[in-house]
Amino acid sequence: RLQCVMPDPENSVDGQSRVMYFSRPDGPFATYDRDEFVVPKQEVGPLVEALLEHPEGPRRFERYRQDASQIRDILVCTHGAHDVCCASFGYPLYQALRDRYARDANDSLRVWQVSHLGGHRFAPNLVDLPEGRNWVRIGPDDLELLVLRSRPVSELRRFYRGWLGLDSPFEQVVEREVFMREGWDWAGRLIAGQVLEMGDDRQQAEVRIDFAGPDGDASGVHEATVGRSGNVPRVDCPGGRDRDG
């Protein structure tokens, strides 16, 4: 999906636009592939078209390519025009991430304000890239653990919405449970998921998660049955125009 990013004075160039393109690698993976460019504003449309429609097209933009391979980007939804809660909860989180952590990260961490990520009733809502993990309803006091990974990830269980690298909520539920049990090292594993069997009412599924170490070693499988057992009370965010997510 397309996300609009608000320019940041420390990471922006006058008269130019930054385009970050994250794509899923073939096969099991731990992080998205990244292509990043800083181009004159009039070149944004042609570059986006080339990235999305013409695999060979970006070659003519090579002179604009940026080396961002060692950078972590955290996107925080602050889209108050879509839902007031995205701004009222998201903006303070963006400020805390930027002021407390990004400035001391030696250019290895960037924090961005972005357009609606989906699921504004979970605000504040952020995506951690290139891993592609979605964290919601997290507070400023929990950011140190999220950024520095200084304590067990299980302490963030209630804030983890899921990994974008999986195709269905059923797979995300299983990956979430494995992540909480295995700890932060799980984030470096090469992962692939699949739904083996779906119930007729689509309320239950058999799920398989294949994994391997970063070098393809230490492989294994997790299998689980995911079923709906009840309803969670819905907490809507006042002021929203719809309730997606």
Side-chain angles (χ1 to χ4, degrees), residues 115-193:
S115 56
H116 185 55
L117 289 170
H120 54 249
R121 69 175 183 271
F122 300 120
N125 196 339
L126 64 86
V127 173
D128 194 346
L129 291 165
E131 282 186 10
R133 288 191 157 81
N134 187 192
W135 301 87
V136 297
R137 291 179 177 163
I138 196 165
D141 292 341
D142 303 295
L143 292 180
E144 180 176 347
L145 176 51
L146 176 67
V147 175
L148 303 181
R149 303 184 174 184
S150 52
R151 302 192 308 278
V153 68
S154 56
E155 295 183 28
L156 297 177
R157 172 187 288 270
R158 66 188 183 280
F159 307 123
Y160 184 47
R161 190 180 180 197
W163 186 46
L164 305 183
L166 296 169
D167 292 328
S168 74
F170 293 101
E171 295 164 71
Q172 290 178 326
V173 167
V174 176
E175 191 275 337
R176 176 179 183 267
E177 185 63 29
V178 175
F179 186 19
M180 295 302 122
R181 294 186 182 190
E182 295 288 334
W184 290 112
D185 286 346
W186 176 255
R189 304 283 177 85
L190 307 177
I191 302 170

Side-chain angles (χ1 to χ4, degrees), residues 2-3 29 35 69 100 107 129 147 156 159 193 209 215 230 232:
L2 178 67
Q3 298 291 151
F29 71 103
D35 291 283
S69 58
R100 295 184 197 172
D107 298 322
L129 291 165
V147 175
L156 297 177
F159 307 123
I209 302 290
D215 298 322
V232 176

